[in-house]
Amino acid sequence: METGKRNVSPEVARRVVDLFGVDATALPLDSVEKHSEEELAAELGALGYPGFAHLAGRPRNPAEILFDALDRPDLDVRTTEGLPWLVLQYPHLDWAWLLREVKLRNRQNRLGFVVSLAANMARRLHREDVVQSLEPVLRELEDARLVKEDTLCQESWPASRKKHVRSVRSRLAAHWNLDTRLSEVDLAHYTA
């Protein structure tokens, strides 16, 4: 492995991260592997998300968790609320990889909304370093913004529910063409 003749297995990478206290963003990325919703929640908890701190999970690269969550047709709302926190805590994700993957699957509006929420929360918390890290990502997502309406991982909603949520969604959600009720108000626990 040290000479580059063998790949580092995900298990060895996790051990290295644990042993040396390396940031979870150093873990390998896999756009194919999907985890269950319970595993996603536990992985958020393993990374420190307060909403799932009681769950024991194995760490996974935050970019991979974010992509796995955003690429789902449906996702538990409590897990969805943790996604802006993930971006806020790990602003130095492998953005090139993540942007490529979301664009391949037309999920850039979902990511744009989540990153926008994280940037707004960073401004509230006076974390200018995070805002500066996220601005180029937001510019690229803005250039790739889709006109098509979508939901934030709630595709199974009936048309009547989507229509209602569209009528009460935030300006930010409307900008990203997402039917979601998630807003900065729902993320107040980030600043507590």
Side-chain angles (χ1 to χ4, degrees):
M1 284 186 279
E2 289 178 15
T3 61
K5 292 179 183 173
R6 268 188 6 180
N7 289 336
V8 177
S9 72
E11 186 54 40
V12 170
R14 280 188 198 91
R15 287 182 186 172
V16 168
V17 165
D18 289 342
L19 182 65
F20 295 111
V22 177
D23 192 77
T25 57
L27 289 167
L29 292 160
D30 181 358
S31 64
V32 177
E33 185 178 359
K34 300 293 182 196
H35 290 197
S36 70
E37 283 201 41
E38 293 79 20
E39 288 172 315
L40 277 176
E43 290 163 351
L44 281 169
L47 291 175
Y49 178 58
F52 296 129
H54 61 285
L55 300 176
R58 294 170 44 161
R60 187 163 56 136
N61 191 306
E64 187 178 331
I65 294 171
L66 184 56
F67 173 71
D68 188 356
L70 291 175
D71 195 37
R72 293 171 182 265
D74 292 285
L75 185 63
D76 182 79
V77 173
R78 294 171 302 148
T79 304
T80 306
E81 286 178 2
L83 301 181
W85 175 89
L86 194 62
V87 173
L88 186 63
Q89 296 303 311
Y90 296 94
H92 300 292
L93 298 172
D94 186 338
W95 289 110
W97 177 87
L98 188 55
L99 289 164
R100 183 181 65 250
E101 294 301 321
V102 297
K103 288 176 185 178
L104 283 172
R105 291 165 183 83
N106 291 329
R107 301 301 195 194
Q108 57 264 43
N109 287 14
R110 291 178 179 190
L111 181 61
F113 178 69
V114 168
V115 173
S116 295
L117 282 174
N120 289 347
M121 295 309 295
R123 285 184 192 92
R124 277 192 179 173
L125 296 169
H126 306 290
R127 294 191 53 196
E128 291 305 315
D129 58 321
V130 173
V131 174
Q132 289 176 357
S133 294
L134 299 180
E135 283 176 349
V137 175
L138 283 170
R139 281 193 298 273
E140 185 167 343
L141 287 164
E142 185 66 40
D143 288 344
R145 187 165 50 110
L146 300 171
V147 174
K148 180 183 175 215
E149 292 287 334
D150 192 7
T151 65
L152 187 58
C153 306
Q154 298 297 323
E155 291 178 16
S156 67
W157 278 353
S160 60
R161 175 110 190 246
K162 290 176 185 177
K163 182 179 178 184
H164 169 71
V165 170
R166 190 173 299 140
S167 70
V168 296
R169 66 187 175 182
S170 69
R171 293 168 98 180
L172 188 61
H175 175 77
W176 290 102
N177 298 319
L178 290 179
D179 297 337
T180 181
R181 295 191 72 170
L182 185 64
S183 69
E184 291 175 38
V185 173
D186 301 306
L187 310 178
H189 61 281
Y190 288 8
T191 59

